[in-house]
């Protein structure tokens, strides 16, 4: 769709101002989205305040993500003061909860509060699958715990996508997610890959994979989709911005 010009364009964000919502403990989304940014689009990060949860378990992981969900509206109110054109969710877990229906309802509630459209990671993955074409069976890597991975599988099933196998890294704190080394990601992708999956998918926005996923596509010979890449790509495309960007995988380079 063609971009509607702003009546009084921002000098730097003359194409679009993106309001980015992310947990206060997240140190990956902000630099990732800035790396993915294209000329004339600017990102304005609003932190969803949450304590750095420690000694996470399956139950406390879910409770912690729901706390982030509850605090999202306050972050929305903060970023709206810069008059963004569009909102981008930099936290993925809660955008899968409750399957397709629950995810849609969650997004709609935020959009109603904001009066501005919101891009979520879960829906962005579905858009990415459609762009690549032929993706029906996936393997998933996450920093989550099993209960959250089950929510991802539920959401995917509602969209006709089968999660063949998955890995939960079960990071011990929110900030520890950003400390997972590339060597661990490499070994886990090798375990997840197989002829029975069409694509490898990473969820959990504080897990740094935008550049590694692009490299992994080359040696695995199939789509490797990082959640931050998919989300920002979809935000651009939903706003009619079709710029390609090199170095971040086929999604940003071809579609």
């Amino acid at each position: 769709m063609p971009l509607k010009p702003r009546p009084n364009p921002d000098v730097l964000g003359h194409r679009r101002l993106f309001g980015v919502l992310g947990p206060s403990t997240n140190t990956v989304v902000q630099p990732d989205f800035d790396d993915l940014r294209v000329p004339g689009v600017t990102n304005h990060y609003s932190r969803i305040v949450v304590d750095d949860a420690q000694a996470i378990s399956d139950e406390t992981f879910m409770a912690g993500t729901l706390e982030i969900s509850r605090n999202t509206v306050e972050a929305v109110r903060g970023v709206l003061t810069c008059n963004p054109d569009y909102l981008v969710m930099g936290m993925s877990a809660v955008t899968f909860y409750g399957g397709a229906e629950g995810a849609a309802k969650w997004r709609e509630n935020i959009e109603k509060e904001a009066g501005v459209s919101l891009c979520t990671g879960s829906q962005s993955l579905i858009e990415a699958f459609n762009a690549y074409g032929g993706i029906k069976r996936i393997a998933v890597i996450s920093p989550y715990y099993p209960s959250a991975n089950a929510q991802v599988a539920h959401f995917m099933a509602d969209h006709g996508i089968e999660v063949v196998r998955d890995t939960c890294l079960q990071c011990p704190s929110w900030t520890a997610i950003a400390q997972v080394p590339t060597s661990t990601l490499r070994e886990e992708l090798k375990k997840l890959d197989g002829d029975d999956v069409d694509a490898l998918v990473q969820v959990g926005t504080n897990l740094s994979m935008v550049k590694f996923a692009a490299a992994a596509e080359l040696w695995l010979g199939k789509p490797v989709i990082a959640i931050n890449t998919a989300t920002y790509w979809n935000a651009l495309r939903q706003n009619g911005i079709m710029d390609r960007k090199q170095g971040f995988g086929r999604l940003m380079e071809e579609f």
Side-chain angles (χ1 to χ4, degrees):
M1 60 182 174
L3 288 179
K4 294 180 180 179
R6 294 171 64 93
N8 297 297
D10 187 274
V11 172
L12 297 181
H14 54 87
R15 299 170 81 187
R16 281 294 184 266
L17 300 178
F18 283 169
V20 179
L21 309 168
S24 55
T25 52
N26 189 309
T27 56
V28 167
V29 164
Q30 188 170 4
D32 271 4
F33 281 6
D34 280 344
D35 284 347
L36 292 162
R37 192 173 65 81
V38 300
V41 177
T42 52
N43 304 321
H44 307 282
Y45 199 91
S46 185
R47 296 188 174 277
I48 305 166
V49 177
V50 61
D51 291 332
D52 184 18
Q54 302 291 324
I56 301 176
S57 65
D58 203 44
E59 295 75 18
T60 59
F61 182 92
M62 295 296 291
T65 56
L66 291 173
E67 179 187 2
I68 294 171
S69 178
R70 288 190 298 271
N71 293 346
T72 298
V73 168
E74 197 60 36
V76 169
R77 290 172 181 157
V79 81
L80 286 179
T81 59
C82 76
N83 296 320
D85 299 290
Y86 192 74
L87 297 180
V88 187
M89 187 64 183
M91 191 272 192
S92 61
V94 297
T95 73
F96 293 103
Y97 293 179
E101 182 179 354
K105 184 178 294 184
W106 190 90
R107 186 184 71 250
E108 289 163 4
N109 286 340
I110 298 299
E111 290 177 335
K112 182 178 179 181
E113 178 70 29
V116 178
S117 295
L118 172 70
C119 181
T120 62
S122 57
Q123 188 58 40
S124 296
L125 287 175
I126 301 303
E127 298 293 342
F129 297 159
N130 292 337
Y132 276 98
I135 295 177
K136 292 295 181 183
R137 294 161 62 83
I138 64 173
V140 174
I141 181 171
S142 86
Y144 302 163
Y145 281 68
S147 56
N149 270 30
Q151 293 287 339
V152 174
H154 178 194
F155 175 87
M156 293 298 174
D158 282 354
H159 287 277
I161 305 295
E162 179 187 356
V163 176
V164 176
R165 53 186 163 271
D166 65 298
T167 292
C168 304
L169 295 177
Q170 301 190 41
C171 295
S173 70
W174 295 146
T175 53
I177 296 172
Q179 299 162 10
V180 176
T182 300
S183 58
T184 296
L185 301 176
R186 184 188 307 113
E187 291 307 310
E188 292 300 333
L189 287 189
K190 289 178 181 177
K191 295 175 188 175
L192 287 170
D193 189 30
D195 293 339
D196 55 345
V197 297
D198 305 314
L200 299 169
V201 176
Q202 171 257 324
V203 299
T205 62
N206 205 26
L207 193 62
S208 182
M209 268 196 69
V210 295
K211 293 180 180 178
F212 178 69
E217 279 193 328
L218 299 177
W219 49 267
L220 290 174
K222 64 180 60 175
V224 181
I225 306 173
I227 190 79
N228 290 346
T229 304
T231 303
Y232 203 83
W233 165 84
N234 191 35
L236 292 172
R237 301 301 182 257
Q238 291 298 319
N239 282 273
I241 298 172
M242 305 305 294
D243 300 39
R244 271 42 174 180
K245 189 146 185 162
Q246 301 296 310
F248 296 95
R250 290 182 58 204
L251 194 61
M252 287 293 290
E253 293 176 5
E254 298 181 18
F255 304 114

